mmCIF file of all heavy atoms in Angstrom:
data_model
loop_
_atom_site.group_PDB
_atom_site.id
_atom_site.type_symbol
_atom_site.label_atom_id
_atom_site.label_comp_id
_atom_site.label_asym_id
_atom_site.label_seq_id
_atom_site.Cartn_x
_atom_site.Cartn_y
_atom_site.Cartn_z
ATOM 1 N N GLU A 73 121.053 101.395 100.521
ATOM 2 C CA GLU A 73 120.967 102.704 101.168
ATOM 3 C C GLU A 73 119.670 103.426 100.799
ATOM 4 O O GLU A 73 119.046 104.071 101.641
ATOM 5 C CB GLU A 73 122.165 103.578 100.789
ATOM 6 C CG GLU A 73 123.441 103.181 101.464
ATOM 7 C CD GLU A 73 123.367 103.314 102.971
ATOM 8 O OE1 GLU A 73 122.823 104.322 103.459
ATOM 9 O OE2 GLU A 73 123.816 102.401 103.662
ATOM 10 N N VAL A 74 119.264 103.321 99.543
ATOM 11 C CA VAL A 74 118.022 103.957 99.100
ATOM 12 C C VAL A 74 116.841 103.344 99.840
ATOM 13 O O VAL A 74 115.976 104.047 100.368
ATOM 14 C CB VAL A 74 117.846 103.819 97.571
ATOM 15 C CG1 VAL A 74 116.481 104.326 97.140
ATOM 16 C CG2 VAL A 74 118.948 104.566 96.843
ATOM 17 N N ILE A 75 116.804 102.002 99.914
ATOM 18 C CA ILE A 75 115.713 101.297 100.597
ATOM 19 C C ILE A 75 115.699 101.663 102.081
ATOM 20 O O ILE A 75 114.643 101.926 102.662
ATOM 21 C CB ILE A 75 115.853 99.769 100.418
ATOM 22 C CG1 ILE A 75 115.687 99.392 98.954
ATOM 23 C CG2 ILE A 75 114.878 99.016 101.299
ATOM 24 C CD1 ILE A 75 114.314 99.582 98.400
ATOM 25 N N ARG A 76 116.873 101.712 102.691
ATOM 26 C CA ARG A 76 116.964 102.040 104.120
ATOM 27 C C ARG A 76 116.467 103.460 104.389
ATOM 28 O O ARG A 76 115.715 103.710 105.337
ATOM 29 C CB ARG A 76 118.411 101.873 104.588
ATOM 30 C CG ARG A 76 118.545 101.807 106.087
ATOM 31 C CD ARG A 76 119.964 101.496 106.519
ATOM 32 N NE ARG A 76 120.307 100.127 106.120
ATOM 33 C CZ ARG A 76 121.512 99.742 105.703
ATOM 34 N NH1 ARG A 76 122.495 100.607 105.622
ATOM 35 N NH2 ARG A 76 121.739 98.499 105.381
ATOM 36 N N SER A 77 116.853 104.407 103.535
ATOM 37 C CA SER A 77 116.406 105.791 103.698
ATOM 38 C C SER A 77 114.898 105.909 103.510
ATOM 39 O O SER A 77 114.222 106.615 104.255
ATOM 40 C CB SER A 77 117.083 106.705 102.674
ATOM 41 O OG SER A 77 118.447 106.592 102.718
ATOM 42 N N PHE A 78 114.375 105.220 102.497
ATOM 43 C CA PHE A 78 112.941 105.256 102.232
ATOM 44 C C PHE A 78 112.167 104.677 103.411
ATOM 45 O O PHE A 78 111.173 105.255 103.851
ATOM 46 C CB PHE A 78 112.618 104.473 100.956
ATOM 47 C CG PHE A 78 111.153 104.353 100.683
ATOM 48 C CD1 PHE A 78 110.452 105.397 100.112
ATOM 49 C CD2 PHE A 78 110.461 103.198 101.008
ATOM 50 C CE1 PHE A 78 109.095 105.295 99.873
ATOM 51 C CE2 PHE A 78 109.117 103.078 100.769
ATOM 52 C CZ PHE A 78 108.428 104.132 100.205
ATOM 53 N N ASN A 79 112.614 103.533 103.929
ATOM 54 C CA ASN A 79 111.914 102.901 105.057
ATOM 55 C C ASN A 79 111.952 103.779 106.305
ATOM 56 O O ASN A 79 110.959 103.856 107.033
ATOM 57 C CB ASN A 79 112.509 101.529 105.358
ATOM 58 C CG ASN A 79 112.076 100.487 104.349
ATOM 59 O OD1 ASN A 79 111.070 100.652 103.668
ATOM 60 N ND2 ASN A 79 112.848 99.429 104.235
ATOM 61 N N SER A 80 113.069 104.455 106.543
ATOM 62 C CA SER A 80 113.128 105.311 107.738
ATOM 63 C C SER A 80 112.228 106.533 107.587
ATOM 64 O O SER A 80 111.645 107.001 108.557
ATOM 65 C CB SER A 80 114.569 105.733 108.023
ATOM 66 O OG SER A 80 115.042 106.580 107.008
ATOM 67 N N ARG A 81 112.093 107.047 106.363
ATOM 68 C CA ARG A 81 111.231 108.214 106.155
ATOM 69 C C ARG A 81 109.752 107.852 106.188
ATOM 70 O O ARG A 81 108.911 108.691 106.499
ATOM 71 C CB ARG A 81 111.560 108.887 104.828
ATOM 72 C CG ARG A 81 110.870 110.242 104.707
ATOM 73 C CD ARG A 81 111.143 110.963 103.430
ATOM 74 N NE ARG A 81 112.514 111.396 103.298
ATOM 75 C CZ ARG A 81 112.955 112.087 102.253
ATOM 76 N NH1 ARG A 81 112.140 112.394 101.268
ATOM 77 N NH2 ARG A 81 114.214 112.448 102.184
ATOM 78 N N THR A 82 109.403 106.609 105.870
ATOM 79 C CA THR A 82 107.992 106.216 105.798
ATOM 80 C C THR A 82 107.573 105.264 106.910
ATOM 81 O O THR A 82 106.494 104.685 106.832
ATOM 82 C CB THR A 82 107.686 105.560 104.439
ATOM 83 O OG1 THR A 82 108.513 104.406 104.279
ATOM 84 C CG2 THR A 82 107.900 106.534 103.303
ATOM 85 N N GLU A 83 108.377 105.120 107.949
ATOM 86 C CA GLU A 83 108.039 104.177 109.012
ATOM 87 C C GLU A 83 106.815 104.609 109.825
ATOM 88 O O GLU A 83 106.159 103.776 110.443
ATOM 89 C CB GLU A 83 109.231 103.946 109.931
ATOM 90 C CG GLU A 83 109.632 105.152 110.747
ATOM 91 C CD GLU A 83 110.912 104.932 111.514
ATOM 92 O OE1 GLU A 83 111.453 103.812 111.461
ATOM 93 O OE2 GLU A 83 111.367 105.878 112.167
ATOM 94 N N HIS A 84 106.471 105.893 109.817
ATOM 95 C CA HIS A 84 105.311 106.379 110.571
ATOM 96 C C HIS A 84 103.995 106.068 109.868
ATOM 97 O O HIS A 84 102.935 106.168 110.474
ATOM 98 C CB HIS A 84 105.433 107.880 110.815
ATOM 99 C CG HIS A 84 105.332 108.708 109.574
ATOM 100 N ND1 HIS A 84 106.387 108.847 108.698
ATOM 101 C CD2 HIS A 84 104.303 109.404 109.060
ATOM 102 C CE1 HIS A 84 105.993 109.606 107.689
ATOM 103 N NE2 HIS A 84 104.740 109.967 107.876
ATOM 104 N N LEU A 85 104.035 105.676 108.595
ATOM 105 C CA LEU A 85 102.826 105.364 107.836
ATOM 106 C C LEU A 85 102.403 103.918 108.066
ATOM 107 O O LEU A 85 103.201 103.096 108.516
ATOM 108 C CB LEU A 85 103.071 105.599 106.346
ATOM 109 C CG LEU A 85 103.449 107.019 105.952
ATOM 110 C CD1 LEU A 85 103.842 107.074 104.487
ATOM 111 C CD2 LEU A 85 102.308 107.965 106.230
ATOM 112 N N LYS A 86 101.154 103.625 107.734
ATOM 113 C CA LYS A 86 100.650 102.265 107.855
ATOM 114 C C LYS A 86 101.467 101.346 106.934
ATOM 115 O O LYS A 86 101.656 101.654 105.758
ATOM 116 C CB LYS A 86 99.174 102.232 107.468
ATOM 117 C CG LYS A 86 98.524 100.901 107.639
ATOM 118 C CD LYS A 86 97.061 100.960 107.272
ATOM 119 C CE LYS A 86 96.465 99.568 107.370
ATOM 120 N NZ LYS A 86 95.092 99.569 106.877
ATOM 121 N N PRO A 87 101.968 100.222 107.459
ATOM 122 C CA PRO A 87 102.793 99.331 106.634
ATOM 123 C C PRO A 87 102.060 98.865 105.372
ATOM 124 O O PRO A 87 100.854 98.677 105.367
ATOM 125 C CB PRO A 87 103.090 98.152 107.559
ATOM 126 C CG PRO A 87 102.916 98.694 108.929
ATOM 127 C CD PRO A 87 101.853 99.741 108.828
ATOM 128 N N ASP A 88 102.826 98.697 104.319
ATOM 129 C CA ASP A 88 102.366 98.218 103.013
ATOM 130 C C ASP A 88 101.463 99.202 102.280
ATOM 131 O O ASP A 88 100.789 98.821 101.333
ATOM 132 C CB ASP A 88 101.688 96.852 103.129
ATOM 133 C CG ASP A 88 102.662 95.783 103.608
ATOM 134 O OD1 ASP A 88 103.849 95.876 103.250
ATOM 135 O OD2 ASP A 88 102.237 94.871 104.329
ATOM 136 N N THR A 89 101.438 100.453 102.683
ATOM 137 C CA THR A 89 100.741 101.480 101.914
ATOM 138 C C THR A 89 101.600 101.795 100.691
ATOM 139 O O THR A 89 102.781 102.102 100.844
ATOM 140 C CB THR A 89 100.557 102.758 102.756
ATOM 141 O OG1 THR A 89 99.846 102.431 103.939
ATOM 142 C CG2 THR A 89 99.806 103.818 101.987
ATOM 143 N N PRO A 90 101.047 101.726 99.489
ATOM 144 C CA PRO A 90 101.874 101.981 98.293
ATOM 145 C C PRO A 90 102.202 103.465 98.148
ATOM 146 O O PRO A 90 101.328 104.290 97.908
ATOM 147 C CB PRO A 90 100.990 101.485 97.146
ATOM 148 C CG PRO A 90 99.605 101.586 97.671
ATOM 149 C CD PRO A 90 99.671 101.367 99.147
ATOM 150 N N ILE A 91 103.469 103.790 98.294
ATOM 151 C CA ILE A 91 103.923 105.179 98.250
ATOM 152 C C ILE A 91 104.707 105.418 96.955
ATOM 153 O O ILE A 91 105.735 104.786 96.732
ATOM 154 C CB ILE A 91 104.834 105.498 99.457
ATOM 155 C CG1 ILE A 91 104.113 105.224 100.768
ATOM 156 C CG2 ILE A 91 105.353 106.919 99.394
ATOM 157 C CD1 ILE A 91 102.957 106.133 101.048
ATOM 158 N N PRO A 92 104.234 106.342 96.107
ATOM 159 C CA PRO A 92 105.023 106.704 94.927
ATOM 160 C C PRO A 92 106.259 107.499 95.350
ATOM 161 O O PRO A 92 106.169 108.401 96.186
ATOM 162 C CB PRO A 92 104.084 107.576 94.098
ATOM 163 C CG PRO A 92 102.738 107.393 94.694
ATOM 164 C CD PRO A 92 102.934 106.981 96.101
ATOM 165 N N VAL A 93 107.397 107.158 94.795
ATOM 166 C CA VAL A 93 108.642 107.829 95.135
ATOM 167 C C VAL A 93 109.399 108.158 93.851
ATOM 168 O O VAL A 93 109.424 107.346 92.919
ATOM 169 C CB VAL A 93 109.496 106.970 96.103
ATOM 170 C CG1 VAL A 93 109.870 105.651 95.497
ATOM 171 C CG2 VAL A 93 110.728 107.702 96.561
ATOM 172 N N THR A 94 109.965 109.354 93.801
ATOM 173 C CA THR A 94 110.810 109.772 92.690
ATOM 174 C C THR A 94 112.220 109.933 93.227
ATOM 175 O O THR A 94 112.468 110.776 94.095
ATOM 176 C CB THR A 94 110.323 111.104 92.094
ATOM 177 O OG1 THR A 94 108.959 110.948 91.703
ATOM 178 C CG2 THR A 94 111.146 111.508 90.896
ATOM 179 N N ILE A 95 113.130 109.109 92.728
ATOM 180 C CA ILE A 95 114.516 109.097 93.200
ATOM 181 C C ILE A 95 115.374 109.811 92.158
ATOM 182 O O ILE A 95 115.364 109.435 90.983
ATOM 183 C CB ILE A 95 115.012 107.663 93.414
ATOM 184 C CG1 ILE A 95 114.096 106.937 94.393
ATOM 185 C CG2 ILE A 95 116.451 107.663 93.900
ATOM 186 C CD1 ILE A 95 114.249 105.445 94.402
ATOM 187 N N THR A 96 116.106 110.828 92.588
ATOM 188 C CA THR A 96 117.005 111.561 91.711
ATOM 189 C C THR A 96 118.435 111.171 92.053
ATOM 190 O O THR A 96 118.853 111.321 93.203
ATOM 191 C CB THR A 96 116.827 113.086 91.882
ATOM 192 O OG1 THR A 96 115.450 113.403 91.691
ATOM 193 C CG2 THR A 96 117.667 113.852 90.898
ATOM 194 N N ALA A 97 119.164 110.665 91.069
ATOM 195 C CA ALA A 97 120.556 110.257 91.270
ATOM 196 C C ALA A 97 121.474 111.326 90.708
ATOM 197 O O ALA A 97 121.244 111.846 89.615
ATOM 198 C CB ALA A 97 120.816 108.933 90.573
ATOM 199 N N PHE A 98 122.518 111.660 91.458
ATOM 200 C CA PHE A 98 123.494 112.644 91.028
ATOM 201 C C PHE A 98 124.776 111.941 90.591
ATOM 202 O O PHE A 98 125.018 110.783 90.936
ATOM 203 C CB PHE A 98 123.788 113.632 92.166
ATOM 204 C CG PHE A 98 122.578 114.406 92.605
ATOM 205 C CD1 PHE A 98 121.918 114.084 93.781
ATOM 206 C CD2 PHE A 98 122.080 115.439 91.825
ATOM 207 C CE1 PHE A 98 120.791 114.792 94.178
ATOM 208 C CE2 PHE A 98 120.966 116.151 92.218
ATOM 209 C CZ PHE A 98 120.319 115.826 93.388
ATOM 210 N N GLN A 99 125.617 112.646 89.820
ATOM 211 C CA GLN A 99 126.852 112.074 89.297
ATOM 212 C C GLN A 99 127.804 111.627 90.406
ATOM 213 O O GLN A 99 128.553 110.677 90.227
ATOM 214 C CB GLN A 99 127.575 113.095 88.403
ATOM 215 C CG GLN A 99 126.913 113.350 87.089
ATOM 216 C CD GLN A 99 127.071 112.206 86.110
ATOM 217 O OE1 GLN A 99 127.841 111.280 86.310
ATOM 218 N NE2 GLN A 99 126.295 112.265 85.043
ATOM 219 N N ASP A 100 127.760 112.299 91.550
ATOM 220 C CA ASP A 100 128.681 111.950 92.638
ATOM 221 C C ASP A 100 128.154 110.800 93.503
ATOM 222 O O ASP A 100 128.592 110.604 94.627
ATOM 223 C CB ASP A 100 128.979 113.177 93.497
ATOM 224 C CG ASP A 100 127.732 113.797 94.100
ATOM 225 O OD1 ASP A 100 126.619 113.330 93.790
ATOM 226 O OD2 ASP A 100 127.879 114.753 94.888
ATOM 227 N N ARG A 101 127.207 110.030 92.962
ATOM 228 C CA ARG A 101 126.616 108.840 93.594
ATOM 229 C C ARG A 101 125.790 109.161 94.845
ATOM 230 O O ARG A 101 125.584 108.306 95.703
ATOM 231 C CB ARG A 101 127.672 107.784 93.913
ATOM 232 C CG ARG A 101 128.232 107.162 92.682
ATOM 233 C CD ARG A 101 129.093 105.984 93.044
ATOM 234 N NE ARG A 101 129.469 105.315 91.809
ATOM 235 C CZ ARG A 101 129.496 104.021 91.674
ATOM 236 N NH1 ARG A 101 129.177 103.249 92.679
ATOM 237 N NH2 ARG A 101 129.852 103.489 90.531
#
Side-chain angles (χ1 to χ4, degrees):
E73 286 298 317
V74 173
I75 295 292
R76 196 174 292 144
S77 306
F78 175 80
N79 284 339
S80 67
R81 191 180 293 182
T82 59
E83 67 187 357
H84 67 282
L85 300 172
K86 184 178 176 186
D88 296 326
T89 303
I91 303 293
V93 61
T94 304
I95 303 164
T96 306
F98 299 104
Q99 289 287 349
D100 58 356
R101 291 189 173 221

